[in-house]
Amino acid sequence: MPFHVLGIESSCDETSAAILRFEPGGKRELLSDVTARQEEVHLRWGGVVPELASRRHLESLLPVVKAALHQAGLSYQQLSAVAVTNRPGLIGSLMIGVNAARTLAFTLKIPLIPINHLEAHLAAVLLEGAEIQFPCLGLIISGGHTSLYEVQEGWKDFRPLGHTRDDAAGEAFDKGARLLGLPYPGGPQVAKLAAEGNPAAISFPRALPAWNETDFSFSGLKTSLATYLQRPSPAPVADICASYQEAIVDALVAKTVNAAKRGSYRDLVVAGGVAANQRLREKLRAALPAAMRLHIPAPAFCTDNGAMIAALGSVRLEQGEGIEPEGIFAVEVAPATEARAARGKH
Ligand code: KG4
Ligand code: ZN
């Protein structure tokens, strides 16, 4: 009999629920994926306001779960497990999803599976049936994180290889967009304008500190843009966007290729909102060693979604990881702390 895992995501500003059907060891089939976005709530503030985000999650969550069930043609009673993001993220937002998931699992007497949001971003490639050879290389590039990992068998152990020292890649896009007067979230806006511009128009810095081959740094780039914009006659905005995007993409590609060359990986998985960037996809493919396979989820599964939570949930369920609903809490883990804790293990 197939299993049906409900995945719930509420760590930042997307309320999302999805249902995945799978046979143990067999094919995964996404039956539904429903997301309520909150962009209009945060637009006027230029970034996500945590308290407003949790209030909106509270309103959206149950309708989104019901819509996911409806789209899948299933009833609550047909669910086999609930997987939910419980770290890292905005603590108030995480709590809304976790409490809903606990209540559902408790009421339905089914296992509850706590999911690390970052690990789920990479596991999103399972939705497209990717066959990954472990250990693989993972690059997570979102609004809050920019990290390289070596991922061990079974999506179990994520060994940190490099992190951003300051801003995340998505943050660099968002902050740059803000300086240019473009609305939040800035990544898609910059990317759209960049498509019409000349990436070589302005030479923005590529932060590649010689002392570290796999860490990233983007805050200098943002300052460089702020300084550039003080010029009396800056280049057309499309050229600025294309050049700014190029600097972010080049830094991401260079560090990832360095990490790839240090190990012997067959597969690279790239995920998180910035992985939706077309220019990055092209340049990464061109720069990787020819033998390496590049896996990037479809753009809709790069940004936050419940499907990736259900996908990793299905793996954890196969691994026998379901727990009692009372045993899970929302925990916010600062990326640096998480990385240090993980490093300590190796
Ligand atoms: O993974 P995600 O949806 O949320 C977080 O967990 O942070 O990533 C959101 C980030 C934002 O910074 C957004 O500007 C960026 O991903 N982003 C993009 C693109 N689409 C979304 N950045 C560059 N190019 C894109 N096409
Ligand atoms: Zn994310």
Side-chain angles (χ1 to χ4, degrees):
M1 226 186 49
F3 286 89
H4 296 120
V5 178
L6 168 67
I8 296 179
E9 158 62 34
S10 72
S11 67
C12 189
D13 62 342
E14 269 104 9
T15 321
S16 187
I19 297 171
L20 189 82
R21 187 207 301 263
F22 76 101
E23 303 270 358
K27 218 174 121 254
R28 291 180 170 79
E29 187 189 352
L30 188 64
L31 301 184
S32 63
D33 180 28
V34 179
T35 300
R37 309 183 77 88
Q38 321 185 338
E39 268 137 14
E40 82 288 356
V41 177
H42 306 288
L43 199 60
R44 60 187 283 233
W45 307 104
V48 177
V49 182
E51 182 57 29
L52 297 181
S54 18
R55 286 185 206 182
R56 183 51 77 93
H57 284 305
L58 193 56
E59 288 165 12
S60 308
L61 202 111
L62 282 180
V64 163
V65 168
K66 280 184 188 158
L69 280 164
H70 181 76
Q71 213 179 76
L74 294 177
S75 67
Y76 281 113
Q77 283 69 26
Q78 287 171 287
L79 294 175
S80 322
V82 186
V84 62
T85 304
N86 78 323
R87 67 196 186 284
L90 301 172
I91 193 73
S93 296
L94 287 169
M95 278 169 62
I96 308 293
V98 166
N99 282 327
R102 285 176 79 172
T103 310
L104 275 175
F106 181 78
T107 318
L108 298 168
K109 298 186 173 50
I110 54 178
L112 182 62
I113 306 166
I115 295 290
N116 178 312
H117 178 87
L118 299 175
E119 298 178 0
H121 263 306
L122 292 180
V125 291
L126 292 173
L127 295 165
E128 283 145 35
E131 298 273 343
I132 305 293
Q133 184 177 303
F134 294 103
C136 73
L137 192 61
L139 171 67
I140 299 176
I141 36 179
S142 69
H145 298 87
T146 298
S147 304
L148 275 162
Y149 292 97
E150 181 178 287
V151 184
Q152 307 297 331
E153 187 72 39
W155 304 95
K156 265 281 179 222
D157 190 4
F158 288 64
R159 202 186 127 210
L161 300 177
H163 292 285
T164 180
R165 297 265 164 162
D166 38 59
D167 291 348
E171 205 176 348
F173 272 107
D174 295 340
K175 288 180 173 172
R178 199 169 178 190
L179 288 170
L180 289 164
L182 301 170
Y184 175 87
Q189 305 282 338
V190 171
K192 201 167 143 210
L193 286 162
E196 311 293 317
N198 172 11
I202 307 146
S203 166
F204 286 119
R206 274 73 170 153
L208 298 168
W211 39 265
N212 190 305
E213 290 187 347
T214 49
D215 276 348
F216 306 86
S217 167
F218 293 107
S219 67
L221 172 63
K222 169 193 66 192
T223 310
S224 165
L225 174 62
T227 311
Y228 176 82
L229 290 174
Q230 284 165 8
R231 288 188 178 194
S233 50
V237 69
D239 286 350
I240 302 177
C241 286
S243 305
Y244 187 76
Q245 170 178 270
E246 201 74 356
I248 299 174
V249 166
D250 283 350
L252 290 172
V253 170
K255 297 307 178 103
T256 306
V257 169
N258 284 347
K261 285 183 179 157
R262 280 184 180 189
S264 53
Y265 308 104
R266 194 198 70 174
D267 295 287
L268 165 66
V269 179
V270 185
V274 181
N277 188 279
Q278 205 52 42
R279 185 73 176 160
L280 175 73
R281 289 169 176 244
E282 288 160 13
K283 290 198 96 171
L284 202 48
R285 178 64 280 161
L288 276 183
M292 265 188 98
R293 300 191 198 177
L294 174 63
H295 306 268
I296 307 183
F301 299 126
C302 283
T303 48
D304 291 351
N305 65 86
M308 68 186 194
I309 307 303
L312 188 54
S314 70
V315 174
R316 298 288 183 249
L317 194 65
E318 280 179 314
Q319 292 164 341
E321 291 255 321
I323 59 162
E324 294 294 318
E326 292 82 355
I328 163 180
F329 301 94
V331 281
E332 190 182 38
V333 185
T337 318
E338 194 176 40
R340 266 198 297 278
R343 264 196 206 109
K345 283 199 300 191
H346 295 278

